[in-house]
Amino acid sequence: MLLRHTPEKITERKSLTINPAKTCQPIGAMYASLGIQGCLPHSHGSQGCCAYHRSTLTRHYKEPVSASTSSFTEGASVFGGQANMLQSITNIFSVYDPEVIAVHTTCLSETIGDDLPQITKKAKTEGKIPEGKSVISASTPSYVGSHITGFSNMVKSMAMVAEQTGKKNRKVNIIPGWVEPADMEEIKRIVKTIGVESILFPDTSGVLNGPLSGEYAMFPKGGTTMDELRSTGDSIGTLALGEWCSADAARWLDKSCHVPCSVLDMPFGLMATDRFIDALRIIAGVTIPEEIVNERGQLVDMISDMHQYLYQRKVALVGDPDQLISMTEFLVSLDMHPVHIVTGTPGKKFEKRIREITKDMPYEVNVKAGGDMFLLHQWIKNEPVDLLIGNTYCKYIARDEDIPYVRWGFPILDRQGHQYFPTVGYKGGLRLLEKILGELMDRIDRDATEQKFELVL
Amino acid sequence: MATTTNKKPVPWDPAEVKEELLKKYPPKVARKRAKQILINEALENETPEISANVRTIPGIISMRGCTYAGCKGVIMGPTRDIVNLVHGPIGCSFYAWLTRRNQTDAGTDGENYMTYCFSTDMQDQDIIFGGEKKLATAIQEAYDLFHPKSIAVFATCPVGLIGDDIHTVTKNMKEKFGDCNVYAFSCEGYKGVSQSAGHHIANNQVFRHIVGENDEVKPGKFKINLLGEYNIGGDGFEIDRILEKCGITTISTFSGNSTYDQFASAHTADLNAVMCHRSINYVADMLETKYGIPWIKVNFIGAQATAKSLRKIAEYFGDKELSETVEKVIAEEIPEVEAVSRDVRTRTEGKTAMMFLGGSRAHHYQELFNEMGMKTISAGYEFAHRDDYEGRHVIPNLKVDADSRNIEEIEVEADETRYKPRKSKEEMKALEDAGYKFKETLIIDDLNQYEAEKLVELMKPDIFCAGIKEKYSVQKLGVPMKQLHSYDSGGPYAGFKGAINFYKEIDRLVNSKVWSYMKAPWQENPQLSATYCWE
């Protein structure tokens, strides 16, 4: 037993987090920054933060992740990090020549109170930022919220690049939230198929799922361009996917540039995708093309074909709020029973939303925002489940408790595919179902007696 | 064998390579980097003075991590029965959770916290009002849940800044529990210039709080401590197997799959065999000063190096029977290794490697590459000090700068009752190894992403070795990259079985067909033919 010290008996913990279901803000900001074309993310803090974030993102994507750091020493921590930041800006533009540097803070620079907008302004006046290049920044203290908060804060800083020319560009801003590059690609395909012109930001497709060709480009061709970001202020509206990841940026555009916004759930599963597609239809005033209708039909078809394997199967889930909300809704729509749901990201409204989604279920759901995987494991020990969905760290629970397990979320350090195959939209729904069914049916085969072992399932 | 379509042998001149590396830097950066890039050849392999263990340049994409990573991640992370509690915001503990591939085994006592991640998950109110109370409660909660022998607390950046007195908190908790040793490490990420400072801090506290706690005499005739071996990919298990076969007892390993009791008993061993000198030399020195246990450098990376190290240990004990057993073990193990190396050499001979690793490993791995007939053309360290490059004789002349001064040096004296010199100074001198020398032409300290890319482009090695952050940018250039921090998915690479694994792994990497697929057929022959006819 690898988690042999986890007791079944649940005791209250006030101060000790064990096996967290979240990490800190800066990594989210770094991931979001990678979705800007020609952008070098920069971590304003000690160099360890940057090393850890790069390592984790690299392990998750198996792709190069470039990011620089202010490399604070004890001196900088006492006297402030302005000199390190200014020196960084000079060095970065001379050596790496990005279009834009996206700076995020760390607990170190936040605790000592470094003021990034002021430092950036100083760099500008001192001519350290070359003509046509930009430096944007987000405040991402690690001791507030989670990696999701950091992502959201950087996405908001991206929106703050917006300019208003007074002339609308007939485009819809789409903020996909923290989803995989493959998901961003799929969202673009759906939007294009429906016939809506859009600006998707951030967009990590083409950045973190690049080809191997014998050439290395530090700044790959993918990503939202700075010009596109500037023109988000002229868009006709914004669709923000996910309250936690995307809403702040959308509301800022609404308030500051009068670009109206709708906040939707992330389009995972049947119903959330339905709402997303319908929103696009209404905004663009188009009829949904047969191609998309057909994809929906295929997903419904698979649900009906395989319903017997899904019906009332108990599921434990751990991950990030926006993703879990849509996933829980999807599981409920499949007549599955999501019984234990944990996110590490704080926010009581998450628990409320999950309770709403599961209100008609014949059981009381266990849900916790600001929880950890230790608690989830204890819940599972008290009420076993048929399926576990979560990031790579769940493999220890899955092994100890012998539970079928689908890897979904961040980070996934031991399997491939998330970079290339989407789980958003109807097609993504099919893939999720395929993964879930694969696990459940492998288990049926594994556990069947020789008599009951069947060719056709 | 792979075709190497776009790879021609590149004639390069080290001075030109150096110039090329420095070209793009602003003048100040170029001046600093120039001192960290050395051309060895002109000085006939006597490593000249290098600038090392100096500050990373802000904005330059370094391979380095922080002091916390060196302390918690490297040294204390691989211990299995100590609850390692990180005091800080959640990230630091999260990122150091199982990512270094240190293998552990719950052993007969059944304790293993390796798979757990503990944190106080500091929030903004803790930063404002102080986190001492939260830390004390967290320690209490960990104690109530697990009743471990020991709880170690690690400080992250904000802890030092807000002034939480973690040492008093842990001292109080230790007194309160009575049966659980609780202590803390002030390893804030901003201290020092790299992971290296964290090693030092970890060494100090382990020595201060644990070593010497258990005087019980363990059975065994030839008792050693294995220092600086972290059981990555199971290296330590393979070394244990060999030592056991030789009849050598390992009292403690610092710190792969180690236990609290191993550290507590370390002073009862008679020799310290030091693997990763950079990360653990402080403990070695202190054990010598306080208890009279001498230390020697060993290297279990490479079959010949392993044999040599075993002989060195046997020579130290000066026991005929031990020497015979060691020779017997070597004779038993070597044939299989040589059979594999003979086969692999037909495909690896003459190929070139580059290595940019922690603080000692580049020296170790050049042995393995030599055994495969491969040449290391450029090497360097992420966080080494000058003595790692030039030898320990430079230590008295090392300049103590502001960053090093902040790292505590603890004063150790000979223990009144337990100091027992094992060997005289003269005897040790005879045993002393001249140290490992870099045989490469181009030595670079604190290599960064830009220089790595340039080096690969200019010198076209057949394999590049560094860490996960460097892996994919190198591979995008069509050059295989082997992680030698965490071994990708492989290992063990230590000892005799490890050498075999390594030969096979490098053979697989440098000869993989995949490196010949970079270009599609139509990219190789781009001429167009304006016809739809098949002729």
Side-chain angles (χ1 to χ4, degrees), chain B residues 95-170:
Chain B
Y95 302 117
W97 183 15
L98 286 167
T99 46
R100 274 180 59 85
R101 302 192 62 241
N102 310 103
Q103 294 182 4
T104 51
D105 173 346
T108 45
D109 55 69
E111 274 190 271
N112 189 1
Y113 299 104
M114 187 74 192
T115 49
Y116 290 86
C117 169
F118 302 97
S119 171
T120 56
D121 186 17
M122 285 177 106
Q123 300 297 303
D124 43 0
Q125 69 269 21
D126 305 316
I127 302 293
I128 299 164
F129 302 111
E132 289 176 12
K133 251 194 201 146
K134 188 170 199 181
L135 175 61
T137 325
I139 294 170
Q140 183 70 51
E141 286 171 356
Y143 178 78
D144 293 342
L145 268 169
F146 307 111
H147 296 283
K149 294 182 189 76
S150 177
I151 299 172
V153 171
F154 301 87
T156 61
C157 292
V159 170
L161 297 173
I162 62 172
D164 273 3
D165 184 356
I166 55 174
H167 300 287
T168 301
V169 172
T170 49

Side-chain angles (χ1 to χ4, degrees), chain A residues 104 181 326:
Chain A
H104 59 262
S326 299

Side-chain angles (χ1 to χ4, degrees), chain A residues 45 87 90 136 242 251-252 274 276 283 362-363 393 397 443:
Chain A
Q87 202 188 340
T90 305
I136 64 169
R251 292 195 182 115
W252 188 89
D274 280 351
F276 174 55
I283 289 168
Y363 58 86
Y393 285 99
I397 301 176
R443 185 54 57 109

Side-chain angles (χ1 to χ4, degrees), chain B residues 306-330:
Chain B
T306 300
K308 197 173 149 195
S309 297
L310 291 173
R311 288 184 180 122
K312 217 165 146 182
I313 294 171
E315 195 189 335
Y316 169 85
F317 285 106
D319 183 277
K320 194 165 160 265
E321 205 177 313
L322 176 62
S323 292
E324 278 169 15
T325 319
V326 162
E327 289 310 323
K328 208 176 116 226
V329 169
I330 295 170

